[in-house]
Amino acid sequence: MADNRCTCYDDLPLMLTVPEVIDVLGIGRNTVYEIIRTGELPSRRIGKRGQIRVLKYDLIRYMEGEL
């Protein structure tokens, strides 16, 4: 996403990776993992490797202070 900066919520994919969340929020990697670990930002583990994904809906709610 670094090359394709989102200008509105509609530009976001339905599920975001941690690097995409970092780009959108403009915060550090450790901070993103911390807010996911504490449940402040809900996430899901997908696939055999259990890769972390954040739903667009949850990220928007987090940014708007609803979580």
Side-chain angles (χ1 to χ4, degrees):
M1 278 184 47
D3 297 330
N4 303 347
R5 290 270 177 196
C6 293
T7 56
C8 69
Y9 293 146
D10 292 337
D11 293 339
L12 294 172
L14 292 177
M15 296 189 88
L16 293 90
T17 63
V18 170
E20 290 170 330
V21 173
I22 291 167
D23 285 345
V24 170
L25 295 179
I27 60 178
R29 179 178 164 270
N30 290 341
T31 305
V32 170
Y33 280 112
E34 181 65 16
I35 62 175
I36 288 172
R37 185 188 67 76
T38 61
E40 194 175 337
L41 177 61
S43 66
R44 310 266 189 303
R45 291 199 172 265
I46 305 295
K48 290 181 182 179
R49 291 185 175 164
Q51 296 175 341
I52 296 172
R53 295 290 188 270
V54 175
L55 291 175
K56 171 178 155 175
Y57 173 77
D58 290 333
L59 182 62
I60 292 169
R61 289 183 60 214
Y62 175 80
M63 290 189 298
E64 293 180 349
E66 295 178 15
L67 292 177

mmCIF file of all heavy atoms in Angstrom, residues 1-50:
data_model
loop_
_atom_site.group_PDB
_atom_site.id
_atom_site.type_symbol
_atom_site.label_atom_id
_atom_site.label_comp_id
_atom_site.label_asym_id
_atom_site.label_seq_id
_atom_site.Cartn_x
_atom_site.Cartn_y
_atom_site.Cartn_z
ATOM 1 N N MET A 1 0.797 -1.192 0.000
ATOM 2 C CA MET A 1 0.000 0.000 0.000
ATOM 3 C C MET A 1 0.840 1.256 0.000
ATOM 4 O O MET A 1 0.329 2.321 -0.230
ATOM 5 C CB MET A 1 -0.941 0.014 1.201
ATOM 6 C CG MET A 1 -2.173 -0.801 0.961
ATOM 7 S SD MET A 1 -3.413 -0.765 2.253
ATOM 8 C CE MET A 1 -3.557 0.947 2.633
ATOM 9 N N ALA A 2 2.122 1.150 0.258
ATOM 10 C CA ALA A 2 2.961 2.341 0.304
ATOM 11 C C ALA A 2 2.904 3.122 -1.003
ATOM 12 O O ALA A 2 2.946 4.338 -1.004
ATOM 13 C CB ALA A 2 4.394 1.949 0.628
ATOM 14 N N ASP A 3 2.788 2.425 -2.124
ATOM 15 C CA ASP A 3 2.709 3.094 -3.420
ATOM 16 C C ASP A 3 1.302 3.586 -3.722
ATOM 17 O O ASP A 3 1.111 4.518 -4.485
ATOM 18 C CB ASP A 3 3.155 2.143 -4.529
ATOM 19 C CG ASP A 3 4.596 1.722 -4.385
ATOM 20 O OD1 ASP A 3 5.403 2.505 -3.850
ATOM 21 O OD2 ASP A 3 4.901 0.608 -4.793
ATOM 22 N N ASN A 4 0.310 2.937 -3.150
ATOM 23 C CA ASN A 4 -1.088 3.271 -3.423
ATOM 24 C C ASN A 4 -1.749 3.800 -2.158
ATOM 25 O O ASN A 4 -2.601 3.144 -1.583
ATOM 26 C CB ASN A 4 -1.857 2.037 -3.905
ATOM 27 C CG ASN A 4 -1.250 1.416 -5.122
ATOM 28 O OD1 ASN A 4 -0.409 2.012 -5.768
ATOM 29 N ND2 ASN A 4 -1.676 0.223 -5.453
ATOM 30 N N ARG A 5 -1.382 4.992 -1.747
ATOM 31 C CA ARG A 5 -1.964 5.566 -0.532
ATOM 32 C C ARG A 5 -3.476 5.680 -0.655
ATOM 33 O O ARG A 5 -3.998 6.108 -1.674
ATOM 34 C CB ARG A 5 -1.387 6.958 -0.271
ATOM 35 C CG ARG A 5 0.045 6.926 0.152
ATOM 36 C CD ARG A 5 0.125 6.830 1.625
ATOM 37 N NE ARG A 5 1.523 6.723 2.011
ATOM 38 C CZ ARG A 5 1.891 6.332 3.194
ATOM 39 N NH1 ARG A 5 1.002 6.009 4.084
ATOM 40 N NH2 ARG A 5 3.148 6.257 3.501
ATOM 41 N N CYS A 6 -4.173 5.265 0.401
ATOM 42 C CA CYS A 6 -5.624 5.363 0.415
ATOM 43 C C CYS A 6 -6.024 6.797 0.722
ATOM 44 O O CYS A 6 -5.457 7.433 1.609
ATOM 45 C CB CYS A 6 -6.202 4.434 1.480
ATOM 46 S SG CYS A 6 -5.952 2.706 1.120
ATOM 47 N N THR A 7 -7.000 7.277 -0.011
ATOM 48 C CA THR A 7 -7.487 8.626 0.231
ATOM 49 C C THR A 7 -8.874 8.616 0.856
ATOM 50 O O THR A 7 -9.349 9.648 1.309
ATOM 51 C CB THR A 7 -7.518 9.444 -1.077
ATOM 52 O OG1 THR A 7 -8.313 8.750 -2.029
ATOM 53 C CG2 THR A 7 -6.110 9.633 -1.622
ATOM 54 N N CYS A 8 -9.520 7.440 0.871
ATOM 55 C CA CYS A 8 -10.810 7.310 1.551
ATOM 56 C C CYS A 8 -10.991 5.853 1.969
ATOM 57 O O CYS A 8 -10.272 4.971 1.516
ATOM 58 C CB CYS A 8 -11.951 7.787 0.661
ATOM 59 S SG CYS A 8 -12.277 6.732 -0.742
ATOM 60 N N TYR A 9 -11.973 5.641 2.822
ATOM 61 C CA TYR A 9 -12.218 4.291 3.318
ATOM 62 C C TYR A 9 -12.523 3.302 2.195
ATOM 63 O O TYR A 9 -12.191 2.129 2.284
ATOM 64 C CB TYR A 9 -13.365 4.276 4.322
ATOM 65 C CG TYR A 9 -13.087 4.996 5.617
ATOM 66 C CD1 TYR A 9 -14.094 5.664 6.286
ATOM 67 C CD2 TYR A 9 -11.821 4.999 6.190
ATOM 68 C CE1 TYR A 9 -13.865 6.308 7.488
ATOM 69 C CE2 TYR A 9 -11.568 5.643 7.379
ATOM 70 C CZ TYR A 9 -12.600 6.299 8.041
ATOM 71 O OH TYR A 9 -12.364 6.932 9.213
ATOM 72 N N ASP A 10 -13.157 3.771 1.142
ATOM 73 C CA ASP A 10 -13.515 2.880 0.030
ATOM 74 C C ASP A 10 -12.289 2.273 -0.649
ATOM 75 O O ASP A 10 -12.377 1.219 -1.270
ATOM 76 C CB ASP A 10 -14.337 3.622 -1.016
ATOM 77 C CG ASP A 10 -15.712 4.019 -0.505
ATOM 78 O OD1 ASP A 10 -16.199 3.374 0.451
ATOM 79 O OD2 ASP A 10 -16.293 4.973 -1.053
ATOM 80 N N ASP A 11 -11.145 2.942 -0.534
ATOM 81 C CA ASP A 11 -9.913 2.456 -1.166
ATOM 82 C C ASP A 11 -9.266 1.311 -0.394
ATOM 83 O O ASP A 11 -8.392 0.628 -0.932
ATOM 84 C CB ASP A 11 -8.886 3.579 -1.294
ATOM 85 C CG ASP A 11 -9.328 4.663 -2.264
ATOM 86 O OD1 ASP A 11 -10.200 4.380 -3.113
ATOM 87 O OD2 ASP A 11 -8.797 5.782 -2.174
ATOM 88 N N LEU A 12 -9.676 1.087 0.837
ATOM 89 C CA LEU A 12 -9.067 0.036 1.658
ATOM 90 C C LEU A 12 -9.554 -1.342 1.230
ATOM 91 O O LEU A 12 -10.722 -1.509 0.878
ATOM 92 C CB LEU A 12 -9.425 0.241 3.137
ATOM 93 C CG LEU A 12 -8.878 1.477 3.825
ATOM 94 C CD1 LEU A 12 -9.487 1.615 5.214
ATOM 95 C CD2 LEU A 12 -7.367 1.430 3.908
ATOM 96 N N PRO A 13 -8.668 -2.354 1.292
ATOM 97 C CA PRO A 13 -9.120 -3.720 1.021
ATOM 98 C C PRO A 13 -10.012 -4.202 2.164
ATOM 99 O O PRO A 13 -9.997 -3.623 3.263
ATOM 100 C CB PRO A 13 -7.819 -4.520 0.966
ATOM 101 C CG PRO A 13 -6.827 -3.713 1.712
ATOM 102 C CD PRO A 13 -7.241 -2.278 1.573
ATOM 103 N N LEU A 14 -10.789 -5.255 1.936
ATOM 104 C CA LEU A 14 -11.688 -5.759 2.979
ATOM 105 C C LEU A 14 -10.931 -6.271 4.192
ATOM 106 O O LEU A 14 -11.405 -6.157 5.322
ATOM 107 C CB LEU A 14 -12.589 -6.867 2.421
ATOM 108 C CG LEU A 14 -13.622 -6.407 1.400
ATOM 109 C CD1 LEU A 14 -14.397 -7.616 0.869
ATOM 110 C CD2 LEU A 14 -14.559 -5.394 2.008
ATOM 111 N N MET A 15 -9.768 -6.868 3.962
ATOM 112 C CA MET A 15 -8.921 -7.342 5.057
ATOM 113 C C MET A 15 -7.528 -6.779 4.835
ATOM 114 O O MET A 15 -7.000 -6.844 3.733
ATOM 115 C CB MET A 15 -8.881 -8.865 5.105
ATOM 116 C CG MET A 15 -10.212 -9.491 5.409
ATOM 117 S SD MET A 15 -10.079 -11.253 5.710
ATOM 118 C CE MET A 15 -9.758 -11.243 7.448
ATOM 119 N N LEU A 16 -6.944 -6.243 5.904
ATOM 120 C CA LEU A 16 -5.628 -5.623 5.801
ATOM 121 C C LEU A 16 -4.585 -6.445 6.543
ATOM 122 O O LEU A 16 -4.865 -7.032 7.593
ATOM 123 C CB LEU A 16 -5.663 -4.219 6.402
ATOM 124 C CG LEU A 16 -6.503 -3.188 5.664
ATOM 125 C CD1 LEU A 16 -7.920 -3.186 6.191
ATOM 126 C CD2 LEU A 16 -5.890 -1.826 5.804
ATOM 127 N N THR A 17 -3.380 -6.453 6.004
ATOM 128 C CA THR A 17 -2.245 -7.070 6.681
ATOM 129 C C THR A 17 -1.693 -6.071 7.695
ATOM 130 O O THR A 17 -2.049 -4.887 7.674
ATOM 131 C CB THR A 17 -1.139 -7.414 5.673
ATOM 132 O OG1 THR A 17 -0.663 -6.194 5.087
ATOM 133 C CG2 THR A 17 -1.630 -8.359 4.591
ATOM 134 N N VAL A 18 -0.820 -6.523 8.557
ATOM 135 C CA VAL A 18 -0.197 -5.620 9.532
ATOM 136 C C VAL A 18 0.558 -4.487 8.837
ATOM 137 O O VAL A 18 0.392 -3.326 9.213
ATOM 138 C CB VAL A 18 0.692 -6.398 10.533
ATOM 139 C CG1 VAL A 18 1.521 -5.450 11.382
ATOM 140 C CG2 VAL A 18 -0.173 -7.287 11.422
ATOM 141 N N PRO A 19 1.366 -4.754 7.791
ATOM 142 C CA PRO A 19 2.031 -3.637 7.109
ATOM 143 C C PRO A 19 1.050 -2.613 6.530
ATOM 144 O O PRO A 19 1.317 -1.413 6.543
ATOM 145 C CB PRO A 19 2.844 -4.314 6.003
ATOM 146 C CG PRO A 19 3.100 -5.689 6.524
ATOM 147 C CD PRO A 19 1.862 -6.050 7.293
ATOM 148 N N GLU A 20 -0.098 -3.071 6.053
ATOM 149 C CA GLU A 20 -1.105 -2.146 5.535
ATOM 150 C C GLU A 20 -1.699 -1.306 6.660
ATOM 151 O O GLU A 20 -1.930 -0.103 6.492
ATOM 152 C CB GLU A 20 -2.199 -2.909 4.786
ATOM 153 C CG GLU A 20 -1.723 -3.507 3.481
ATOM 154 C CD GLU A 20 -2.713 -4.452 2.835
ATOM 155 O OE1 GLU A 20 -3.493 -5.110 3.553
ATOM 156 O OE2 GLU A 20 -2.681 -4.533 1.603
ATOM 157 N N VAL A 21 -1.937 -1.920 7.809
ATOM 158 C CA VAL A 21 -2.453 -1.179 8.965
ATOM 159 C C VAL A 21 -1.441 -0.125 9.398
ATOM 160 O O VAL A 21 -1.803 1.015 9.706
ATOM 161 C CB VAL A 21 -2.801 -2.129 10.137
ATOM 162 C CG1 VAL A 21 -3.163 -1.352 11.392
ATOM 163 C CG2 VAL A 21 -3.927 -3.079 9.747
ATOM 164 N N ILE A 22 -0.168 -0.486 9.386
ATOM 165 C CA ILE A 22 0.899 0.458 9.732
ATOM 166 C C ILE A 22 0.847 1.670 8.809
ATOM 167 O O ILE A 22 0.910 2.811 9.261
ATOM 168 C CB ILE A 22 2.281 -0.231 9.651
ATOM 169 C CG1 ILE A 22 2.426 -1.254 10.772
ATOM 170 C CG2 ILE A 22 3.413 0.789 9.683
ATOM 171 C CD1 ILE A 22 3.604 -2.198 10.609
ATOM 172 N N ASP A 23 0.700 1.422 7.508
ATOM 173 C CA ASP A 23 0.627 2.518 6.532
ATOM 174 C C ASP A 23 -0.588 3.407 6.761
ATOM 175 O O ASP A 23 -0.489 4.627 6.709
ATOM 176 C CB ASP A 23 0.595 1.979 5.107
ATOM 177 C CG ASP A 23 1.930 1.467 4.620
ATOM 178 O OD1 ASP A 23 2.954 1.777 5.264
ATOM 179 O OD2 ASP A 23 1.949 0.756 3.603
ATOM 180 N N VAL A 24 -1.736 2.793 7.008
ATOM 181 C CA VAL A 24 -2.973 3.562 7.174
ATOM 182 C C VAL A 24 -2.925 4.401 8.449
ATOM 183 O O VAL A 24 -3.263 5.582 8.435
ATOM 184 C CB VAL A 24 -4.211 2.632 7.186
ATOM 185 C CG1 VAL A 24 -5.466 3.388 7.593
ATOM 186 C CG2 VAL A 24 -4.401 1.981 5.821
ATOM 187 N N LEU A 25 -2.491 3.793 9.546
ATOM 188 C CA LEU A 25 -2.492 4.505 10.828
ATOM 189 C C LEU A 25 -1.273 5.413 11.001
ATOM 190 O O LEU A 25 -1.308 6.340 11.809
ATOM 191 C CB LEU A 25 -2.565 3.512 11.990
ATOM 192 C CG LEU A 25 -3.842 2.686 12.098
ATOM 193 C CD1 LEU A 25 -3.756 1.741 13.286
ATOM 194 C CD2 LEU A 25 -5.060 3.583 12.199
ATOM 195 N N GLY A 26 -0.208 5.104 10.278
ATOM 196 C CA GLY A 26 1.003 5.909 10.403
ATOM 197 C C GLY A 26 1.692 5.743 11.745
ATOM 198 O O GLY A 26 2.284 6.681 12.270
ATOM 199 N N ILE A 27 1.593 4.543 12.290
ATOM 200 C CA ILE A 27 2.248 4.248 13.569
ATOM 201 C C ILE A 27 3.214 3.085 13.380
ATOM 202 O O ILE A 27 3.216 2.433 12.339
ATOM 203 C CB ILE A 27 1.220 3.934 14.687
ATOM 204 C CG1 ILE A 27 0.354 2.728 14.317
ATOM 205 C CG2 ILE A 27 0.350 5.154 14.957
ATOM 206 C CD1 ILE A 27 -0.648 2.329 15.389
ATOM 207 N N GLY A 28 4.005 2.821 14.383
ATOM 208 C CA GLY A 28 5.033 1.793 14.285
ATOM 209 C C GLY A 28 4.505 0.372 14.371
ATOM 210 O O GLY A 28 3.408 0.110 14.863
ATOM 211 N N ARG A 29 5.329 -0.541 13.889
ATOM 212 C CA ARG A 29 5.005 -1.966 13.871
ATOM 213 C C ARG A 29 4.693 -2.494 15.264
ATOM 214 O O ARG A 29 3.696 -3.195 15.471
ATOM 215 C CB ARG A 29 6.183 -2.715 13.249
ATOM 216 C CG ARG A 29 6.038 -4.199 13.178
ATOM 217 C CD ARG A 29 7.284 -4.805 12.494
ATOM 218 N NE ARG A 29 7.357 -6.202 12.730
ATOM 219 C CZ ARG A 29 7.993 -6.772 13.770
ATOM 220 N NH1 ARG A 29 8.635 -6.030 14.631
ATOM 221 N NH2 ARG A 29 8.002 -8.076 13.911
ATOM 222 N N ASN A 30 5.547 -2.165 16.220
ATOM 223 C CA ASN A 30 5.343 -2.654 17.582
ATOM 224 C C ASN A 30 4.037 -2.143 18.174
ATOM 225 O O ASN A 30 3.344 -2.871 18.893
ATOM 226 C CB ASN A 30 6.512 -2.278 18.482
ATOM 227 C CG ASN A 30 7.770 -3.049 18.151
ATOM 228 O OD1 ASN A 30 7.719 -4.099 17.513
ATOM 229 N ND2 ASN A 30 8.912 -2.519 18.554
ATOM 230 N N THR A 31 3.689 -0.908 17.868
ATOM 231 C CA THR A 31 2.444 -0.328 18.372
ATOM 232 C C THR A 31 1.238 -1.047 17.780
ATOM 233 O O THR A 31 0.270 -1.348 18.486
ATOM 234 C CB THR A 31 2.372 1.177 18.066
ATOM 235 O OG1 THR A 31 3.529 1.810 18.599
ATOM 236 C CG2 THR A 31 1.120 1.804 18.648
ATOM 237 N N VAL A 32 1.293 -1.363 16.493
ATOM 238 C CA VAL A 32 0.193 -2.094 15.858
ATOM 239 C C VAL A 32 0.036 -3.470 16.503
ATOM 240 O O VAL A 32 -1.071 -3.867 16.862
ATOM 241 C CB VAL A 32 0.397 -2.215 14.333
ATOM 242 C CG1 VAL A 32 -0.626 -3.183 13.727
ATOM 243 C CG2 VAL A 32 0.293 -0.857 13.669
ATOM 244 N N TYR A 33 1.143 -4.185 16.676
ATOM 245 C CA TYR A 33 1.047 -5.499 17.318
ATOM 246 C C TYR A 33 0.529 -5.388 18.748
ATOM 247 O O TYR A 33 -0.212 -6.255 19.212
ATOM 248 C CB TYR A 33 2.397 -6.225 17.288
ATOM 249 C CG TYR A 33 2.675 -6.887 15.962
ATOM 250 C CD1 TYR A 33 3.689 -6.436 15.124
ATOM 251 C CD2 TYR A 33 1.909 -7.965 15.525
ATOM 252 C CE1 TYR A 33 3.940 -7.037 13.900
ATOM 253 C CE2 TYR A 33 2.146 -8.574 14.302
ATOM 254 C CZ TYR A 33 3.167 -8.110 13.505
ATOM 255 O OH TYR A 33 3.407 -8.714 12.284
ATOM 256 N N GLU A 34 0.873 -4.328 19.448
ATOM 257 C CA GLU A 34 0.402 -4.134 20.825
ATOM 258 C C GLU A 34 -1.106 -3.896 20.866
ATOM 259 O O GLU A 34 -1.805 -4.485 21.693
ATOM 260 C CB GLU A 34 1.148 -2.964 21.481
ATOM 261 C CG GLU A 34 0.747 -2.712 22.913
ATOM 262 C CD GLU A 34 1.102 -3.843 23.881
ATOM 263 O OE1 GLU A 34 1.928 -4.708 23.534
ATOM 264 O OE2 GLU A 34 0.539 -3.853 24.989
ATOM 265 N N ILE A 35 -1.630 -3.033 19.986
ATOM 266 C CA ILE A 35 -3.076 -2.784 20.027
ATOM 267 C C ILE A 35 -3.866 -4.003 19.547
ATOM 268 O O ILE A 35 -5.001 -4.206 19.952
ATOM 269 C CB ILE A 35 -3.477 -1.497 19.259
ATOM 270 C CG1 ILE A 35 -3.140 -1.571 17.778
ATOM 271 C CG2 ILE A 35 -2.877 -0.275 19.914
ATOM 272 C CD1 ILE A 35 -3.613 -0.386 16.958
ATOM 273 N N ILE A 36 -3.237 -4.834 18.724
ATOM 274 C CA ILE A 36 -3.874 -6.098 18.341
ATOM 275 C C ILE A 36 -3.813 -7.071 19.508
ATOM 276 O O ILE A 36 -4.809 -7.714 19.852
ATOM 277 C CB ILE A 36 -3.206 -6.686 17.077
ATOM 278 C CG1 ILE A 36 -3.591 -5.857 15.842
ATOM 279 C CG2 ILE A 36 -3.586 -8.151 16.891
ATOM 280 C CD1 ILE A 36 -2.838 -6.232 14.579
ATOM 281 N N ARG A 37 -2.655 -7.172 20.150
ATOM 282 C CA ARG A 37 -2.484 -8.107 21.271
ATOM 283 C C ARG A 37 -3.452 -7.811 22.408
ATOM 284 O O ARG A 37 -4.030 -8.712 23.010
ATOM 285 C CB ARG A 37 -1.043 -8.054 21.797
ATOM 286 C CG ARG A 37 -0.762 -9.087 22.892
ATOM 287 C CD ARG A 37 0.588 -8.890 23.532
ATOM 288 N NE ARG A 37 0.676 -7.665 24.293
ATOM 289 C CZ ARG A 37 0.139 -7.470 25.503
ATOM 290 N NH1 ARG A 37 -0.549 -8.427 26.081
ATOM 291 N NH2 ARG A 37 0.264 -6.318 26.127
ATOM 292 N N THR A 38 -3.666 -6.537 22.701
ATOM 293 C CA THR A 38 -4.550 -6.150 23.807
ATOM 294 C C THR A 38 -6.023 -6.214 23.430
ATOM 295 O O THR A 38 -6.885 -6.058 24.290
ATOM 296 C CB THR A 38 -4.227 -4.726 24.289
ATOM 297 O OG1 THR A 38 -4.441 -3.804 23.214
ATOM 298 C CG2 THR A 38 -2.815 -4.625 24.818
ATOM 299 N N GLY A 39 -6.324 -6.428 22.143
ATOM 300 C CA GLY A 39 -7.709 -6.494 21.703
ATOM 301 C C GLY A 39 -8.311 -5.134 21.393
ATOM 302 O O GLY A 39 -9.491 -5.033 21.052
ATOM 303 N N GLU A 40 -7.517 -4.086 21.517
ATOM 304 C CA GLU A 40 -7.993 -2.743 21.203
ATOM 305 C C GLU A 40 -8.395 -2.657 19.725
ATOM 306 O O GLU A 40 -9.340 -1.957 19.370
ATOM 307 C CB GLU A 40 -6.883 -1.739 21.517
ATOM 308 C CG GLU A 40 -7.302 -0.314 21.574
ATOM 309 C CD GLU A 40 -6.152 0.590 22.025
ATOM 310 O OE1 GLU A 40 -5.213 0.110 22.693
ATOM 311 O OE2 GLU A 40 -6.211 1.771 21.690
ATOM 312 N N LEU A 41 -7.659 -3.373 18.875
ATOM 313 C CA LEU A 41 -7.983 -3.483 17.463
ATOM 314 C C LEU A 41 -8.196 -4.972 17.172
ATOM 315 O O LEU A 41 -7.244 -5.753 17.197
ATOM 316 C CB LEU A 41 -6.848 -2.932 16.588
ATOM 317 C CG LEU A 41 -7.033 -3.052 15.080
ATOM 318 C CD1 LEU A 41 -8.271 -2.284 14.616
ATOM 319 C CD2 LEU A 41 -5.794 -2.536 14.351
ATOM 320 N N PRO A 42 -9.443 -5.369 16.927
ATOM 321 C CA PRO A 42 -9.711 -6.788 16.666
ATOM 322 C C PRO A 42 -8.987 -7.279 15.413
ATOM 323 O O PRO A 42 -8.792 -6.522 14.462
ATOM 324 C CB PRO A 42 -11.228 -6.822 16.451
ATOM 325 C CG PRO A 42 -11.744 -5.592 17.092
ATOM 326 C CD PRO A 42 -10.657 -4.562 16.938
ATOM 327 N N SER A 43 -8.608 -8.543 15.446
ATOM 328 C CA SER A 43 -7.929 -9.138 14.296
ATOM 329 C C SER A 43 -8.324 -10.597 14.172
ATOM 330 O O SER A 43 -8.948 -11.158 15.067
ATOM 331 C CB SER A 43 -6.414 -9.013 14.455
ATOM 332 O OG SER A 43 -5.970 -9.802 15.542
ATOM 333 N N ARG A 44 -7.949 -11.174 13.056
ATOM 334 C CA ARG A 44 -8.198 -12.593 12.795
ATOM 335 C C ARG A 44 -6.906 -13.232 12.317
ATOM 336 O O ARG A 44 -6.081 -12.578 11.714
ATOM 337 C CB ARG A 44 -9.231 -12.770 11.678
ATOM 338 C CG ARG A 44 -10.499 -11.974 11.821
ATOM 339 C CD ARG A 44 -11.568 -12.242 12.291
ATOM 340 N NE ARG A 44 -12.846 -11.717 12.379
ATOM 341 C CZ ARG A 44 -13.215 -10.558 12.858
ATOM 342 N NH1 ARG A 44 -12.339 -9.660 13.193
ATOM 343 N NH2 ARG A 44 -14.465 -10.256 13.003
ATOM 344 N N ARG A 45 -6.776 -14.514 12.583
ATOM 345 C CA ARG A 45 -5.635 -15.264 12.045
ATOM 346 C C ARG A 45 -6.155 -16.097 10.885
ATOM 347 O O ARG A 45 -7.135 -16.819 11.020
ATOM 348 C CB ARG A 45 -5.005 -16.132 13.115
ATOM 349 C CG ARG A 45 -4.309 -15.288 14.167
ATOM 350 C CD ARG A 45 -3.320 -16.121 14.953
ATOM 351 N NE ARG A 45 -2.529 -15.269 15.811
ATOM 352 C CZ ARG A 45 -1.341 -14.779 15.488
ATOM 353 N NH1 ARG A 45 -0.812 -15.075 14.333
ATOM 354 N NH2 ARG A 45 -0.684 -14.021 16.320
ATOM 355 N N ILE A 46 -5.489 -15.970 9.753
ATOM 356 C CA ILE A 46 -5.951 -16.597 8.522
ATOM 357 C C ILE A 46 -4.898 -17.571 7.996
ATOM 358 O O ILE A 46 -3.708 -17.277 8.026
ATOM 359 C CB ILE A 46 -6.212 -15.520 7.434
ATOM 360 C CG1 ILE A 46 -7.184 -14.446 7.931
ATOM 361 C CG2 ILE A 46 -6.696 -16.140 6.136
ATOM 362 C CD1 ILE A 46 -8.579 -14.930 8.206
ATOM 363 N N GLY A 47 -5.358 -18.698 7.507
ATOM 364 C CA GLY A 47 -4.480 -19.647 6.840
ATOM 365 C C GLY A 47 -3.692 -20.541 7.782
ATOM 366 O O GLY A 47 -3.777 -20.443 9.002
ATOM 367 N N LYS A 48 -2.902 -21.418 7.199
ATOM 368 C CA LYS A 48 -2.113 -22.383 7.959
ATOM 369 C C LYS A 48 -1.071 -21.704 8.838
ATOM 370 O O LYS A 48 -0.746 -22.182 9.908
ATOM 371 C CB LYS A 48 -1.420 -23.356 7.011
ATOM 372 C CG LYS A 48 -2.357 -24.314 6.328
ATOM 373 C CD LYS A 48 -1.606 -25.265 5.428
ATOM 374 C CE LYS A 48 -2.554 -26.193 4.707
ATOM 375 N NZ LYS A 48 -1.852 -27.100 3.809
ATOM 376 N N ARG A 49 -0.523 -20.610 8.351
ATOM 377 C CA ARG A 49 0.510 -19.910 9.113
ATOM 378 C C ARG A 49 -0.071 -18.963 10.158
ATOM 379 O O ARG A 49 0.660 -18.380 10.940
ATOM 380 C CB ARG A 49 1.409 -19.116 8.172
ATOM 381 C CG ARG A 49 2.253 -19.982 7.303
ATOM 382 C CD ARG A 49 3.183 -19.144 6.504
ATOM 383 N NE ARG A 49 4.088 -19.968 5.731
ATOM 384 C CZ ARG A 49 4.796 -19.530 4.734
ATOM 385 N NH1 ARG A 49 4.717 -18.268 4.379
ATOM 386 N NH2 ARG A 49 5.604 -20.339 4.095
ATOM 387 N N GLY A 50 -1.366 -18.785 10.139
ATOM 388 C CA GLY A 50 -2.010 -17.924 11.117
ATOM 389 C C GLY A 50 -1.652 -16.457 10.946
ATOM 390 O O GLY A 50 -1.450 -15.741 11.923
#
